[in-house]
Amino acid sequence: MGKAIKEYIKIAVRNLKTRPLRSWLTMFGVIIGVFLVMTVLSLSEGLKGAVMQQLKMMGNDLIMIMPGELTDIMVSMVGGIELTNDNIKAIEKTEGVDIVIPMAYKGEAMRYQGEQRIVLLCGIPLGESLDVLKTDMGFELIEGRWPKSGKREIFVGYLVPEEIFSGMKVETQIILKGKRFEVVGVLKSVGNKQDDSQVYIDLDIYREITGEREGAKMAMAKVKSGHSTDEIVENIKKNLEESKKRRQGEDLSSFTVISSEKMTDIVGSIMTLIQIVTLGFASIAIIVGGIGIMNTMYTSVHERVREIGIMKAVGAKNKTIILIFLIESGIFGLVGGIGGIVLGLGLAKIVEIYTQSQYLFLLKASITPQLVLFGLAFSFLIGCIAGYLPARSASKLNPVEALRYE
Amino acid sequence: MILKPIIKLENVWKIYQLGEVKLVSLKGIDLEITPGSFVTIMGPSGSGKSTLIHIIGCLDVPTKGKVFLEGQDISELSEDNLSQIRGQRIGFVFQQFNLFHNLNALENVMLPMIFQGVPENQRIEKAKKLLRSLSLEDRIFHRPSELSGGERQRVAIARALSNNPEIIIADEPTGNLDSTTGKMIMEVLINLHKKEKKTIVVVTHDPHIAAYTEGIVNIKDGQIIHNHIQTKKVLWEKQ
């Protein structure tokens, strides 16, 4: 059977070569479909991986607390809604919370060697939280040292010396709100442009120079070992509700309290959903490619009725005819698939190189042997499925009528 | 000694249903062809001679009646079984040659052997031998479009012989050839009959062609009107 298939492949290839333009056009339809699917799969998988990697940089025992509902998080951020000092104290008092890191953000003008740029300033209590930043939030220096608490020292994200103040070096001075600060460290890239463009400063000094005496845009709480993160999440929510009741008249309606693990799950689900939807749309192109194969195969059967009759007259069985036509349509799928995979993964790689060169996102296109094998098997299968009905109709031809066909 | 027939038809009817109209192509045909005989089926257009050889050649089955091939009833076999018989025991030569235009002479001859699972080296050897025996050694790698009518028909004969069948069925084998080439093709068939003892059934409406054979079956309106298989002598035996 194996040797016979080898011969049938030769016959099928010869038939495809007989009508080269039509064969290439048909395969081009599959190439477009597979190209789209492979690009979407590779990039969405890479994007998901990058996002998940960032989230996983945070330890499992971290809890994020933000004002407002998770569904309206942008409204809360843009609207300037903040956690109050009472809220932060309520979190600190929650049993099982080891440490709370309030995080305040503000856009400020910063001057370096005569150049002025607007940067996003992030105030963090460096004294208490430096260990958490390093061990649980994946902060890592590529140059310099960590700032000392209470000192006018800053450390900057990876892109600050790369893009914002090109050539910025440690142990140099910058000016913020008319005050001099020393740049003491540069962070390793965390993979997204926004975080990599921030300037970090001790929270006390942040409050001093910005005039924001209290509050924070968000807070991170580290759970003490031996406590259940989910349980602490519930306790924090409860304590925040109580702190709200004590301050009647304030309209802060709710808080988002979410563990890093839960956040990873939610983001993972959203990313999967996005993948499915985009893949669904890209798959339409493959279906169109499959219809193209079916159309070509029906035309081919129609044109080769007499040939089919001759093959039957000289001893070809029905299953042989089916096999020859299926191999032809499978070749359309497979060759189209190879083209689509090369182009699709090629484009994904180009996007990866571009985003990394532009520091947009630490996106790494997912190019795995499994993905390539899936692409090949999928496109071959599409070819075979599309070719089955035409092949079956070819095999059902009556040899006498087929031989008479003009 | 009376030879058992290689082909036997018993009360064979073939009726085509064309919409609401029934077209009776064969009406109760009884026929016996002994192994190694050379028979012509003659008749005017529409007489049913093509239908008859399609049934003899296992390309079609009768609506009613029985067809025996070496005693085996083939009238109710499945399509795949009929294909198997065609591939192994029957060789076809057509008026239109019916060669594959995208294959060269060698590949055309090898095609039936592919369907019978003959290994490649044996296929090549056999096909070359057949083409050489038909004086086509210089045309082995030529495509049908590069061959003359006579050469094409000889390639078709080589193809019909590729699986060494007992029976050769030739449907108007000289119909598309000039008289000289037609005579040459008939000589090829006579040689096959004489040297290799093949059973040959030729369909023609040309009495000159029929003169080469040892038996003539005349058919008209789906019925045999004369059967001279038993009586006619072969011309070349006279010479």
Side-chain angles (χ1 to χ4, degrees), chain A residues 7 14 306 312 317, chain B residues 79 84 86 98 107 123:
Chain A
E7 296 304 325
R14 198 172 278 130
R306 201 179 174 90
K312 286 194 160 192
K317 292 179 180 173
Chain B
E79 228 183 291
Q84 187 79 8
R86 288 196 297 269
N98 282 345
E107 290 163 339
R123 284 202 308 264

Side-chain angles (χ1 to χ4, degrees), chain A residues 188-355:
Chain A
K188 186 181 168 186
S189 173
V190 293
N192 79 64
K193 193 168 184 173
Q194 188 188 316
D195 286 352
D196 282 341
S197 303
Q198 288 178 12
V199 172
Y200 298 88
I201 189 168
D202 185 53
L203 186 61
D204 289 340
I205 297 171
Y206 172 92
R207 297 206 187 288
E208 188 187 317
I209 62 168
T210 59
E212 289 181 0
R213 289 287 159 205
E214 70 160 49
K217 282 277 187 290
M218 62 177 286
M220 305 288 281
K222 184 175 163 65
V223 176
K224 278 181 185 165
S225 61
H227 286 77
S228 151
T229 308
D230 290 342
E231 198 182 313
I232 306 298
V233 165
E234 290 309 312
N235 290 344
I236 290 173
K237 277 182 189 170
K238 214 180 288 171
N239 284 357
L240 283 169
E241 284 300 315
E242 280 173 15
S243 79
K244 195 172 79 179
K245 281 176 198 164
R246 285 198 295 273
R247 292 190 63 159
Q248 298 260 326
E250 292 219 356
D251 287 336
L252 190 58
S253 60
S254 56
F255 302 93
T256 296
V257 182
I258 189 165
S259 66
S260 53
E261 198 178 353
K262 187 85 179 163
M263 181 68 112
T264 307
D265 288 347
I266 292 170
V267 174
S269 304
I270 293 168
M271 295 302 290
T272 304
L273 188 67
I274 292 169
Q275 266 185 312
I276 291 169
V277 171
T278 48
L279 198 60
F281 280 110
S283 298
I284 293 170
I286 287 242
I287 293 169
V288 173
I291 292 169
I293 292 179
M294 193 181 271
N295 183 36
T296 299
M297 293 310 294
Y298 268 123
T299 310
S300 183
V301 170
H302 186 70
E303 285 175 350
R304 286 156 60 192
V305 168
R306 201 179 174 90
E307 276 184 24
I308 294 162
I310 300 167
M311 284 199 283
K312 286 194 160 192
V314 300
K317 292 179 180 173
N318 285 357
K319 65 180 177 188
T320 306
I321 304 285
I322 288 188
L323 208 54
I324 290 170
F325 277 85
L326 273 186
I327 290 170
E328 284 185 31
S329 63
I331 289 172
F332 279 139
L334 195 64
V335 176
I338 292 169
I341 289 167
V342 170
L343 290 178
L345 296 185
L347 180 70
K349 197 73 193 167
I350 290 168
V351 171
E352 174 194 307
I353 293 165
Y354 177 77
T355 53

